[in-house]
Amino acid sequence: MSTTELSLAGSQPGGLGRYNRQAADLHYVTSRVMVYLLAFTAVSVIGFPLFWMVICSFKTSTELYQFPPAFLPHDWTLTNYRDLFIQTNFPIYFVNSLVVAGGATLLSLVVGGLGAYSLSRFKFAGMRTVSMLTLLCYMLPEVLLVIPLYLFVVDLGMADTLISLIIANTAFTLPLTMWFMRSYFNAIPASLEESAMIDGCSRFQAMRKVTLPLALPGLVSVGVFSFNHAWNEFLFALVFTSSETKKVLSLGLATWIGQDNIYSWGMLLAGAVLVTIPVVLFYLLVQRRLVVGLSEGGVKGE
Amino acid sequence: MALVEVKQITKKFGAYSAISNVSLTAQDGKFLILLGPSGCGKTTLLRMIAGLELPTYGDIVIGGKVATRLHPKDRNIAMVFQNYALYPHLTIYENVAFPLRVRGFSGDIDKKVKWATSLVGIEHLLERKPRQMSGGERQRTALARSLVRDPSVFLLDEPLSNLDAKLRHSAREELRQFQERIGVTSIYVTHDQVEAMGLGDRICVMQGGVVRQLGTPEEIYLNPADTFVASFIGSPPMNLISDEGRTIGFRPEMFLPESAFDPSEALYRTEFTVQRIEYLGGDRILYGMVGASLPSSKAIARLPATIGTLPEVGTTAKFAMRLSDIRYFDGEGKAVEQSRRHEARLVVNG
């Protein structure tokens, strides 16, 4: 990029200019090598298990147990997927998971977003305490909360319902949502809303027409975070739900890994692939906004 | 177009009073400047007129209607913010159309937007986003957006302070012409006295949450109400010399070598020891000490280039000023009334 500029800067009579260029080239090459090494490590550590999972979900059961294992399946088969839908409750788990993760995401965006907005824009008594307390909540581990929460859930008659999972997951992601969105709202100048109010908006309209569109990358980031958390969540699901029709994916798949034997590796892997797909799709969908949201952490008002 | 009256406004933030019992009137169709150092309460006052802050005591009346508790959108005012507050996610066209859209304007929005943008000369930039525009263009966009719906009052919060010095000068010029053409009551906040003098029909000088003086630029410059106004307005500021519980003030450009005056004029003569000379092209600024009949103290003289011979640095020269150019302030810094001036003058001469 800057090799020519560098050599120009040092283009004294004699070999100085050339020496600079060599140094710059060397620097460029080594930094490239480092970047690719890092990328390769990341891809192999994260990517290979994914690859293996996808490949094996298309193998027949004999091939799965074959030693030494073959890289690519000899006969590509969809039996695992077919069995998954016919023999198991996988579709029910899947829908339950979508309901829980979607509900928790929506709820934590609405509640967390509004809460963060008021923490950022208004002044009220005990504001500092409230915001510190929310952060404290986030530091408590799930294990600590799960039993007391279960008692509440039973008392409220919500045991073995998806609603209880939505609420519990929301409660867990809410503090982070609020803190992240608060700093995001803080970075959006209040004068934009004031200007909108003078231009003819009510406060709510000003928030909806001006602040929310600007906060969209932040909302997307916390949305992805909430969705992911709820999608992967296991402990609450294990304690709060018991009947087969109320199980979510993480719990359902885990019960297939029995005490002494695996029910079917092929179906388990096919299930794992299908669990991964929504998350990957969701990421791809919002990727551009997510990158902006995480790296900028705010928008300049002008 | 409307008259804006501020009636005995006080604003407290906790125990701190940002504004104490301020009353003033912005006349219909005129340009009123709120001028003062930072923290004097001028922006707070403007925000209360806009409806963004609620006064602790007092009332704001816009066009004969008490507006103290009205929501900003119901006051029919427009405001240009210091950072212009353009909506970054909207194009220039949509920014200007925004006030019309949210108010459910029934007429031809497109025509209004074209009209407003051509008034400020940005009609060729309508498809851009604010961040693709220069500071001057953003400022014009903010102007266009605020006038597109014919507001009755125009509020401006230091709209030129983000522009560079050269642009600021031409923008000031344009702003003044523009205001005269549309004839809307305008209230303009600034800390820059040059802007204030150049733009205002009337200037309200504020300090520490109170109004120090309200008057035309000439009145404020020639007859400052107190020593604060005297030293805040003018560059370099008025020379203030304390003498036996009074203060004598004179403008640096009125303080010239004795030879520059007609000997028949009524002059006050003194001596001036020059310590440093600053060359500014058109003017020379002389820093030094006055002496002789006045208590020895620092003073500044501003000599136009038409005065050829300058005293050397380190020498003492005979300087003078017209008696009519001298201002007197009492022990508390308040200007001494016209009727009492004669008496005070005799004391100085004696």
Short mmCIF file of all heavy atoms in Angstrom, two decimals, chain A residues 87-90 92-93 96 160 241-248 251-253 255-256:
data_model
loop_
_atom_site.label_atom_id
_atom_site.label_comp_id
_atom_site.label_asym_id
_atom_site.label_seq_id
_atom_site.Cartn_x
_atom_site.Cartn_y
_atom_site.Cartn_z
N GLN A 87 -38.94 -40.68 13.07
CA GLN A 87 -38.86 -41.49 14.30
C GLN A 87 -38.82 -40.66 15.57
O GLN A 87 -39.04 -41.17 16.66
CB GLN A 87 -37.60 -42.37 14.26
CG GLN A 87 -37.62 -43.37 13.11
CD GLN A 87 -36.37 -44.20 13.12
OE1 GLN A 87 -35.56 -44.12 14.03
NE2 GLN A 87 -36.20 -45.01 12.08
N THR A 88 -38.47 -39.39 15.48
CA THR A 88 -38.27 -38.62 16.72
C THR A 88 -39.17 -37.41 16.77
O THR A 88 -39.89 -37.11 15.82
CB THR A 88 -36.81 -38.12 16.84
OG1 THR A 88 -36.64 -37.09 15.86
CG2 THR A 88 -35.81 -39.22 16.62
N ASN A 89 -39.10 -36.71 17.92
CA ASN A 89 -39.87 -35.48 18.09
C ASN A 89 -39.10 -34.25 17.65
O ASN A 89 -39.40 -33.13 18.07
CB ASN A 89 -40.24 -35.31 19.56
CG ASN A 89 -41.43 -36.19 19.93
OD1 ASN A 89 -42.26 -36.49 19.07
ND2 ASN A 89 -41.48 -36.61 21.16
N PHE A 90 -38.08 -34.45 16.81
CA PHE A 90 -37.22 -33.34 16.42
C PHE A 90 -38.00 -32.11 15.93
O PHE A 90 -37.70 -30.98 16.35
CB PHE A 90 -36.22 -33.79 15.35
CG PHE A 90 -35.26 -32.72 14.95
CD1 PHE A 90 -34.11 -32.49 15.70
CD2 PHE A 90 -35.50 -31.93 13.84
CE1 PHE A 90 -33.23 -31.49 15.34
CE2 PHE A 90 -34.62 -30.92 13.48
CZ PHE A 90 -33.49 -30.71 14.23
N ILE A 92 -40.89 -31.02 16.75
CA ILE A 92 -41.49 -30.30 17.89
C ILE A 92 -40.42 -29.51 18.63
O ILE A 92 -40.60 -28.34 18.96
CB ILE A 92 -42.17 -31.30 18.84
CG1 ILE A 92 -43.36 -31.95 18.11
CG2 ILE A 92 -42.63 -30.62 20.12
CD1 ILE A 92 -44.03 -33.03 18.92
N TYR A 93 -39.28 -30.17 18.88
CA TYR A 93 -38.17 -29.47 19.57
C TYR A 93 -37.79 -28.21 18.81
O TYR A 93 -37.56 -27.16 19.39
CB TYR A 93 -36.92 -30.35 19.65
CG TYR A 93 -37.07 -31.66 20.37
CD1 TYR A 93 -36.09 -32.65 20.22
CD2 TYR A 93 -38.14 -31.92 21.21
CE1 TYR A 93 -36.18 -33.85 20.87
CE2 TYR A 93 -38.25 -33.15 21.86
CZ TYR A 93 -37.27 -34.12 21.68
OH TYR A 93 -37.36 -35.31 22.31
N ASN A 96 -40.31 -25.48 19.17
CA ASN A 96 -40.22 -24.96 20.53
C ASN A 96 -39.02 -24.03 20.68
O ASN A 96 -39.10 -22.96 21.28
CB ASN A 96 -40.09 -26.10 21.54
CG ASN A 96 -41.42 -26.82 21.73
OD1 ASN A 96 -42.46 -26.32 21.30
ND2 ASN A 96 -41.38 -27.99 22.35
N ASP A 160 -43.33 -26.27 33.18
CA ASP A 160 -43.50 -27.01 31.94
C ASP A 160 -44.23 -26.19 30.87
O ASP A 160 -45.09 -26.70 30.16
CB ASP A 160 -44.25 -28.33 32.21
CG ASP A 160 -43.98 -29.33 31.09
OD1 ASP A 160 -42.95 -29.17 30.39
OD2 ASP A 160 -44.80 -30.24 30.90
N THR A 241 -38.81 -27.53 32.15
CA THR A 241 -39.72 -28.31 31.29
C THR A 241 -39.43 -29.80 31.44
O THR A 241 -38.29 -30.20 31.69
CB THR A 241 -39.56 -27.93 29.81
OG1 THR A 241 -38.19 -28.09 29.45
CG2 THR A 241 -39.99 -26.51 29.54
N SER A 242 -40.48 -30.57 31.29
CA SER A 242 -40.29 -32.01 31.45
C SER A 242 -40.98 -32.82 30.36
O SER A 242 -40.45 -33.81 29.89
CB SER A 242 -40.79 -32.43 32.83
OG SER A 242 -42.07 -31.87 33.05
N SER A 243 -42.19 -32.36 29.93
CA SER A 243 -42.91 -33.19 28.96
C SER A 243 -42.25 -33.12 27.59
O SER A 243 -41.58 -32.14 27.25
CB SER A 243 -44.37 -32.74 28.88
OG SER A 243 -44.42 -31.42 28.36
N GLU A 244 -42.46 -34.18 26.82
CA GLU A 244 -41.82 -34.33 25.52
C GLU A 244 -42.21 -33.21 24.57
O GLU A 244 -41.40 -32.73 23.79
CB GLU A 244 -42.22 -35.69 24.93
CG GLU A 244 -41.43 -36.14 23.73
CD GLU A 244 -39.94 -36.36 24.04
OE1 GLU A 244 -39.54 -36.41 25.23
OE2 GLU A 244 -39.17 -36.48 23.08
N THR A 245 -43.45 -32.73 24.67
CA THR A 245 -43.91 -31.71 23.73
C THR A 245 -43.40 -30.31 24.07
O THR A 245 -43.59 -29.38 23.32
CB THR A 245 -45.46 -31.64 23.70
OG1 THR A 245 -45.91 -31.46 25.06
CG2 THR A 245 -46.05 -32.89 23.12
N LYS A 246 -42.77 -30.14 25.23
CA LYS A 246 -42.29 -28.82 25.63
C LYS A 246 -40.77 -28.73 25.58
O LYS A 246 -40.19 -27.74 25.98
CB LYS A 246 -42.78 -28.49 27.05
CG LYS A 246 -44.28 -28.31 27.15
CD LYS A 246 -44.71 -27.08 26.37
CE LYS A 246 -46.18 -26.75 26.49
NZ LYS A 246 -47.12 -27.82 26.27
N LYS A 247 -40.12 -29.81 25.10
CA LYS A 247 -38.65 -29.79 25.08
C LYS A 247 -38.14 -28.88 23.96
O LYS A 247 -38.72 -28.82 22.88
CB LYS A 247 -38.12 -31.20 24.87
CG LYS A 247 -38.05 -32.00 26.15
CD LYS A 247 -37.41 -33.33 25.90
CE LYS A 247 -37.42 -34.17 27.17
NZ LYS A 247 -37.03 -35.55 26.90
N VAL A 248 -37.03 -28.23 24.23
CA VAL A 248 -36.37 -27.47 23.18
C VAL A 248 -35.20 -28.30 22.64
O VAL A 248 -34.84 -29.34 23.22
CB VAL A 248 -35.87 -26.11 23.69
CG1 VAL A 248 -37.02 -25.20 24.03
CG2 VAL A 248 -34.93 -26.27 24.86
N LEU A 251 -32.14 -29.44 24.91
CA LEU A 251 -32.52 -30.47 25.87
C LEU A 251 -32.84 -31.78 25.14
O LEU A 251 -32.36 -32.86 25.52
CB LEU A 251 -33.73 -30.00 26.67
CG LEU A 251 -34.25 -30.93 27.75
CD1 LEU A 251 -33.19 -31.18 28.79
CD2 LEU A 251 -35.50 -30.34 28.39
N GLY A 252 -33.63 -31.68 24.07
CA GLY A 252 -34.06 -32.86 23.34
C GLY A 252 -32.88 -33.66 22.81
O GLY A 252 -32.80 -34.87 23.01
N LEU A 253 -31.96 -32.98 22.17
CA LEU A 253 -30.80 -33.69 21.60
C LEU A 253 -29.96 -34.30 22.70
O LEU A 253 -29.44 -35.41 22.56
CB LEU A 253 -29.95 -32.75 20.76
CG LEU A 253 -30.56 -32.23 19.45
CD1 LEU A 253 -29.48 -31.65 18.56
CD2 LEU A 253 -31.29 -33.33 18.71
N THR A 255 -30.89 -35.52 25.49
CA THR A 255 -31.46 -36.73 26.07
C THR A 255 -31.19 -37.95 25.20
O THR A 255 -31.32 -39.08 25.65
CB THR A 255 -32.98 -36.58 26.30
OG1 THR A 255 -33.55 -36.08 25.09
CG2 THR A 255 -33.27 -35.66 27.45
N TRP A 256 -30.84 -37.72 23.94
CA TRP A 256 -30.51 -38.85 23.07
C TRP A 256 -29.17 -39.47 23.43
O TRP A 256 -28.88 -40.60 23.08
CB TRP A 256 -30.47 -38.43 21.60
CG TRP A 256 -31.82 -38.02 21.07
CD1 TRP A 256 -33.02 -38.16 21.70
CD2 TRP A 256 -32.08 -37.42 19.82
NE1 TRP A 256 -34.02 -37.67 20.94
CE2 TRP A 256 -33.49 -37.21 19.76
CE3 TRP A 256 -31.30 -37.04 18.74
CZ2 TRP A 256 -34.09 -36.63 18.65
CZ3 TRP A 256 -31.92 -36.48 17.66
CH2 TRP A 256 -33.30 -36.25 17.61
#
